[in-house]
Amino acid sequence: MDASPAERTPDTVGSLGEVATLARILPHLPAGDSTLLGPGDDAAVVSAPDRRFVVTTDLMVHGPDFRLAWSRASDLAWRAAASNLSDVAAMGARPTALVVALAVPAETTVAFLEEFAATLRLACDTLAPGTGVVGGDMSVSPTMTIAITAFGDLEGRAPVRRDGAAVGDVVAAAGVLGRSHRGLARLFAEAVDDEGAPDARIADRLRASDPDVAWHLAPRPPVGDGVLAAEAGATSMLDLSDGLALDAGRVARASHVTLDLDGAALGGSPADVRNALAGGEDHTLLATFPAGTALPGSFRAIGRVVEASADGGVTLDGRALAAAGVGDASGWDPYRAWSGAAG
């Protein structure tokens, strides 16, 4: 007698092999409006009517970047897509295509990868409609690793770089700041068992009840605001992936100015300000605009650009961060943060 579906051993990438696994995954992926030739050949062909294209890549590794005990396949797909789509948006470009490379343990179920692929489609359709997944690669590794390369179309616009902020500009942010940092802090504080190992059941409960936890696991950045910012005349822009203080400092150094941030606009309380300054992986957008510009999309003013000063590239209410009592606002650095194996 054949085993019932409940008793059947799940197919894994190790039991099926690459060809059969890909046959299960590829139908879930979006084709994309700019795709001329998708998966199946040695390389894809994507249209570039502007004769230029924006390209970026991002890597997620189990341990320093995510915990499988806390993250579902859908979380990983959404987060991987969001981080790359937001980088394209930060250049003022419209995302057009993703290339996805996966290295997973041999015991990974094909159902896990099907969920990953289906969520990539949903993330693209939601965050950047018309974006396709046009190819990639798969391999086996004891450590799950996800690498995505994203492409974008400038549609005739100049790219919005980091070095264009000018004295007098308004500093603005799109989306909510510090949300991912708050969510991660709660996971580390509560989503662990008695021995300190990540606990999936607690994480699921937190995900359902706390929007900050849900955002950390699967962020939903305002990708469309990147094009809106470029069209509104943004003088500089970048994706807020490593924390406001660190990323604003990158704009300040590139533009040879100081970004003076408004504590009240960051939430007012010391905890809110610290979260906004130090928290990474929000994947929202930071931009500067000429004074008087009607801020587009979800952008809101959080400061102003002033002359470069001895207090550093980023100040808070006119004071150096060290003197403003916000503690460590150095931001996310995987090399400093990672100190051991993940559960």
Side-chain angles (χ1 to χ4, degrees):
M1 179 181 296
D2 293 338
S4 68
E7 297 171 332
R8 199 170 296 140
T9 301
D11 292 327
T12 66
V13 295
S15 66
L16 286 190
E18 182 179 18
V19 173
T21 298
L22 285 173
R24 295 264 293 270
I25 295 172
L26 291 178
H28 294 286
L29 301 176
D33 295 343
S34 300
T35 305
L36 302 178
L37 180 65
D41 275 83
D42 289 323
V45 180
V46 179
S47 64
D50 184 77
R51 298 184 65 187
R52 304 168 297 170
F53 62 88
V54 170
V55 61
T56 185
T57 192
D58 197 44
L59 189 67
M60 289 171 44
V61 180
H62 177 237
D65 297 309
F66 63 90
R67 309 291 174 106
L68 280 170
W70 290 340
S71 296
R72 303 168 180 168
S74 56
D75 296 326
L76 298 178
W78 198 287
R79 188 170 165 196
S83 63
N84 283 274
L85 295 171
S86 185
D87 278 335
V88 171
M91 299 300 293
R94 177 181 62 84
T96 57
L98 304 179
V99 176
V100 182
L102 298 173
V104 300
E107 63 271 18
T108 303
T109 66
V110 176
F112 181 97
L113 297 183
E114 288 182 293
E115 180 183 344
F116 183 95
T119 306
L120 273 182
R121 174 191 289 273
L122 179 60
C124 289
D125 289 348
T126 302
L127 300 176
T131 302
V133 177
V134 299
D137 195 18
M138 289 186 63
S139 188
V140 64
S141 168
T143 302
M144 184 174 290
T145 302
I146 303 163
I148 290 187
T149 298
F151 300 87
D153 182 5
L154 288 164
E155 301 175 315
R157 295 179 295 275
V160 184
R161 298 169 34 160
R162 300 179 180 183
D163 60 357
V167 173
D169 283 354
V170 173
V171 180
V176 179
L177 301 177
R179 173 169 282 179
S180 181
H181 187 258
R182 291 192 299 269
L184 180 61
R186 191 165 185 201
L187 284 169
F188 271 116
E190 300 179 32
V192 292
D193 61 22
D194 292 339
E195 297 179 353
D199 188 301
R201 291 173 298 178
I202 299 175
D204 283 343
R205 291 200 298 271
L206 294 177
R207 175 208 313 275
S209 63
D210 188 336
D212 292 336
V213 172
W215 183 279
H216 171 75
L217 294 172
R220 283 154 169 75
V223 173
D225 284 356
V227 169
L228 296 180
E231 293 175 340
T235 55
S236 69
M237 185 159 52
L238 85 172
D239 162 62
L240 282 171
S241 56
D242 296 326
L244 177 58
L246 194 156
D247 286 327
R250 289 168 170 152
V251 171
R253 288 192 299 274
S255 300
H256 307 291
V257 295
T258 289
L259 271 60
D260 184 40
L261 304 177
D262 180 352
L266 300 182
S269 76
D272 286 339
V273 173
R274 278 195 299 272
N275 279 327
L277 289 172
E281 299 185 312
D282 278 324
H283 299 298
T284 52
L285 298 172
L286 178 73
T288 56
F289 296 89
T293 300
L295 298 181
S298 64
F299 278 99
R300 59 188 177 88
I302 62 166
R304 61 195 180 100
V305 181
V306 299
E307 295 279 358
S309 72
D311 287 331
V314 181
T315 55
L316 181 67
D317 297 326
R319 295 189 296 165
L321 295 183
V326 295
D328 181 10
S330 56
W332 168 250
D333 182 338
Y335 293 99
R336 289 193 302 111
W338 178 237
S339 61

